[in-house]
């Protein structure tokens, strides 16, 4: 029974969460063969559902043309070719590496019913949850949220990029925080995907000194409850080794893996 469910979820993932869906907040999009090529500020992103059987030299040529496309755009400093563990051909990662791409950490694609995550979670004393994308002073809150993500993940997280996502999302991108009277301690986004059954859980990060106290679970439950209120049935998350066990315990299933291959100017 679980195998049938996994197969159904993976089919829904491929059909609903790739190609145009991944370009919803892009500044510009074009097509090249099986690829969708988007630009998001100074970053590029490549999506596709299938490489249409391309292998060998034909695939190498497509990769080279994609590098040339982004190289020709002076605004783009880096772009990501997002691979999935169930895609073919199996040697795509090696071919990307041979043309200058660097693999980042693999993540696990988790999928499942939103209702499974929408159970109430007790918060530590003095901590409250709040959605900040719809506040009067959104930018000030977003700057603080971006700083929390930087401390949580150990790499830069731009407030301007978060604001761009919120503004271009036109109400379908929610930014949630857990906070004390002094600071934001956990941050995460919910992105509702139009014309699909899905919303995505993104950017979930907790300050190191606050981990292990249920904040990520509580923030995830709040986002799941909001998703259900908006008629969303399924949630998806590209999960790190830290978030995967939490989502798994709530009933989400690992359906594949994803590894970003990144080219930098």
């Amino acid at each position: 029974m679980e195998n049938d469910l996994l197969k159904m979820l993976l089919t829904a993932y491929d059909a609903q969460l790739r190609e145009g869906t991944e370009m919803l907040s892009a500044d510009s999009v074009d097509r090249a063969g099986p690829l969708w090529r988007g630009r998001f500020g100074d970053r590029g992103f490549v999506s596709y559902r299938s490489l249409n059987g391309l292998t060998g030299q034909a695939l190498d040529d497509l990769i080279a043309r994609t590098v040339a496309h982004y190289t020709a755009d002076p605004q783009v400093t880096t772009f990501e070719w997002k691979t999935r563990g169930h895609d073919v051909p199996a040697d795509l990662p090696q071919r990307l590496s041979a043309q200058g791409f660097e693999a980042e950490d693999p993540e696990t694609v988790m999928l499942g019913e939103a209702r499974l995550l929408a159970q109430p979670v007790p918060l530590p004393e003095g901590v409250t949850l709040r959605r900040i994308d719809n506040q009067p002073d959104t930018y000030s809150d977003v700057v603080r949220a971006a700083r929390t993500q930087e401390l949580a993940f150990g790499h830069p997280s731009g407030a301007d990029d978060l604001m761009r996502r919120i503004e271009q999302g036109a109400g379908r991108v929610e930014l949630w925080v857990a906070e004390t009277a002094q600071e934001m301690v956990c941050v995460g986004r919910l992105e509702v995907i139009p014309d699909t059954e899905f919303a995505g859980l993104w950017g979930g990060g907790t300050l190191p000194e606050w981990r292990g106290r249920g904040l990520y679970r509580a923030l995830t439950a709040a986002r799941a409850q909001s998703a259900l209120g908006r008629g969303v049935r399924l949630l998806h998350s590209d999960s790190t080794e830290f978030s995967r066990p939490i989502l798994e315990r709530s009933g989400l299933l690992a359906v594949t893996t994803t590894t970003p291959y990144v080219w930098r100017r």
Side-chain angles (χ1 to χ4, degrees):
M1 178 69 99
E2 184 170 296
N3 282 342
D4 290 341
L5 178 58
L6 281 170
K7 213 174 289 186
M8 181 275 288
L9 289 171
L10 185 58
T11 298
Y13 174 80
D14 281 337
Q16 299 183 46
L17 295 179
R18 302 178 69 168
E19 299 187 326
T21 297
E22 293 187 293
M23 301 295 167
L24 287 173
S25 61
D27 298 318
S28 63
V29 182
D30 73 346
R31 300 288 306 276
L35 304 183
W36 292 62
R37 305 183 302 197
R39 182 173 61 76
F40 301 73
D42 63 356
R43 298 177 297 107
F45 186 85
V46 173
S47 180
Y48 53 91
R49 190 175 304 172
S50 164
L51 291 173
N52 296 343
L54 290 177
T55 60
Q57 189 60 50
L59 180 53
D60 289 340
D61 291 345
L62 179 65
I63 296 169
R65 289 196 301 273
T66 305
V67 172
H69 166 76
Y70 285 110
T71 301
D73 186 340
Q75 295 187 63
V76 172
T77 61
T78 180
F79 78 91
E80 174 185 336
W81 185 307
K82 187 172 185 175
T83 67
R84 272 78 171 194
H86 66 289
D87 283 350
V88 292
D91 67 350
L92 172 61
Q94 289 77 21
R95 293 183 180 278
L96 290 169
S97 296
Q99 296 204 41
F101 290 76
E102 295 180 3
E104 296 193 339
D105 292 339
E107 295 182 323
T108 303
V109 177
M110 305 294 294
L111 301 181
E113 300 274 350
R115 61 179 175 78
L116 298 174
L117 295 178
Q119 309 306 313
V121 177
L123 287 165
E125 186 177 350
V127 176
T128 57
L129 302 183
R130 182 165 62 103
R131 179 182 167 189
I132 66 171
D133 60 280
N134 56 357
Q135 301 299 303
D137 189 12
T138 299
Y139 187 72
S140 175
D141 278 338
V142 168
V143 169
R144 295 172 61 216
R147 177 59 179 159
T148 299
Q149 287 189 318
E150 286 182 8
L151 295 172
F153 295 123
H155 56 73
S157 175
D160 289 344
D161 182 58
L162 279 174
M163 280 301 302
R164 186 185 61 78
R165 289 178 182 274
I166 291 167
E167 289 166 354
Q168 292 190 350
R172 60 178 183 79
V173 177
E174 302 180 5
L175 188 59
W176 287 78
V177 300
E179 60 189 352
T180 67
Q182 293 76 36
E183 61 182 347
M184 292 181 181
V185 295
C186 184
V187 177
R189 298 193 316 277
L190 176 76
E191 298 195 6
V192 179
I193 304 165
D195 303 318
T196 76
E197 301 172 276
F198 284 95
L201 300 171
W202 297 100
T206 305
L207 294 182
E209 62 270 26
W210 282 87
R211 289 172 187 161
R213 301 174 67 178
L215 295 182
Y216 176 81
R217 286 190 299 119
L219 204 67
T220 299
R223 288 179 287 170
Q225 289 161 6
S226 182
L228 287 171
R230 299 176 68 143
V232 171
R233 177 189 163 212
L234 298 171
L235 293 174
H236 75 99
S237 173
D238 290 356
S239 299
T240 66
E241 60 183 312
F242 302 106
S243 56
R244 172 181 172 165
I246 298 170
L247 298 177
E248 223 161 20
R249 286 195 294 271
S250 298
L252 267 61
L253 297 175
V255 300
T256 189
T257 58
T258 177
T259 303
Y261 278 77
V262 178
W263 174 93
R264 293 178 176 87
R265 193 179 293 278

